[in-house]
Amino acid sequence: MDFQNRAGSKPGAGALMSNSESNVARRERLRKLALETIDIEKDPYFMRNHLGSYECKLCLTLHTNEGSYLAHTQGKKHQTNLARRATRDAKDNEQSAAVHRPMLPKINKNVVKIGRPGYKVTKVRDPQSKQFGLLFEITYPEVTDETKPRHRFMAAYEQRVEVPN
């Protein structure tokens, strides 16, 4: 059998790269190129955590090194999250420019009504701080104005720990 015209047939030429080796080489080339062209410190979504790894605050992903983070920024998940964020910001800016009145928290209309006592749990977003929250509305049709509640829900800052006797 004639081996002289096969790939890697010359002495010392070595073998062809496997698929995994070519993927590793490609990732390494992209990482080096991205490190040269992109300044990570100016990226608003880049964060180093206390463990020495890197986080993308937009996608909530962890990365072991800067190259991995840069590869992630070129990926599909990060790009779709960037597009989603841009459309949301554009919509928020459009709403804030159109209306200059004191805004109440935005309440979504897709609520679930379950059983008795009737209650609704609604996702709410504060327009000033952009924070999400839950709004619980409970209705008791049998309760009159003279009825005193047996329980009161308190926030953590309202509670005081009593000194033991």
Side-chain angles (χ1 to χ4, degrees):
M1 189 179 264
D2 187 9
F3 291 103
Q4 70 182 17
N5 293 325
R6 292 195 178 191
S9 65
K10 293 184 180 177
L16 292 176
M17 281 198 284
S18 67
N19 284 339
S20 61
E21 291 171 336
S22 62
N23 284 339
V24 168
R26 180 182 47 81
R27 276 194 224 115
E28 188 64 24
R29 281 194 318 271
L30 287 174
R31 183 183 72 79
K32 286 180 181 176
L33 178 65
L35 282 173
E36 293 171 3
T37 57
I38 299 173
D39 187 14
I40 280 188
E41 299 304 324
K42 292 182 183 176
D43 188 350
Y45 306 115
F46 176 74
M47 186 178 78
R48 285 187 181 93
N49 65 12
H50 66 285
L51 299 172
S53 58
Y54 305 100
E55 294 183 35
C56 176
K57 292 191 284 187
L58 178 66
C59 307
L60 302 174
T61 56
L62 286 172
H63 304 279
T64 55
N65 55 27
E66 292 177 353
S68 172
Y69 175 77
L70 289 171
H72 161 75
T73 59
Q74 303 302 316
K76 184 177 180 181
K77 181 177 183 179
H78 189 80
Q79 295 299 323
T80 55
N81 285 339
L82 277 177
R84 185 180 301 139
R85 179 70 172 257
T87 56
R88 191 179 77 197
D89 287 346
K91 187 174 83 171
D92 289 347
N93 290 339
E94 179 183 298
Q95 288 177 352
S96 65
V99 180
H100 292 293
R101 60 180 165 83
M103 300 176 85
L104 297 173
K106 180 182 165 189
I107 299 176
N108 293 341
K109 297 299 179 188
N110 53 348
V111 295
V112 178
K113 296 179 185 178
I114 306 169
R116 288 185 69 156
Y119 67 91
K120 291 191 274 185
V121 180
T122 310
K123 287 184 184 178
V124 179
R125 184 167 179 211
D126 186 31
Q128 282 84 21
S129 64
K130 310 280 192 224
Q131 290 183 329
F132 288 102
L134 292 175
L135 174 66
F136 294 93
E137 293 180 81
I138 303 172
T139 56
Y140 293 97
E142 297 87 14
V143 175
T144 61
D145 291 337
E146 299 84 36
T147 308
K148 290 193 175 186
R150 293 184 188 162
H151 304 286
R152 179 170 176 256
F153 293 102
M154 298 175 70
Y157 68 90
E158 289 182 288
Q159 297 177 0
R160 291 183 179 84
V161 177
E162 294 181 3
V163 179
N165 294 338

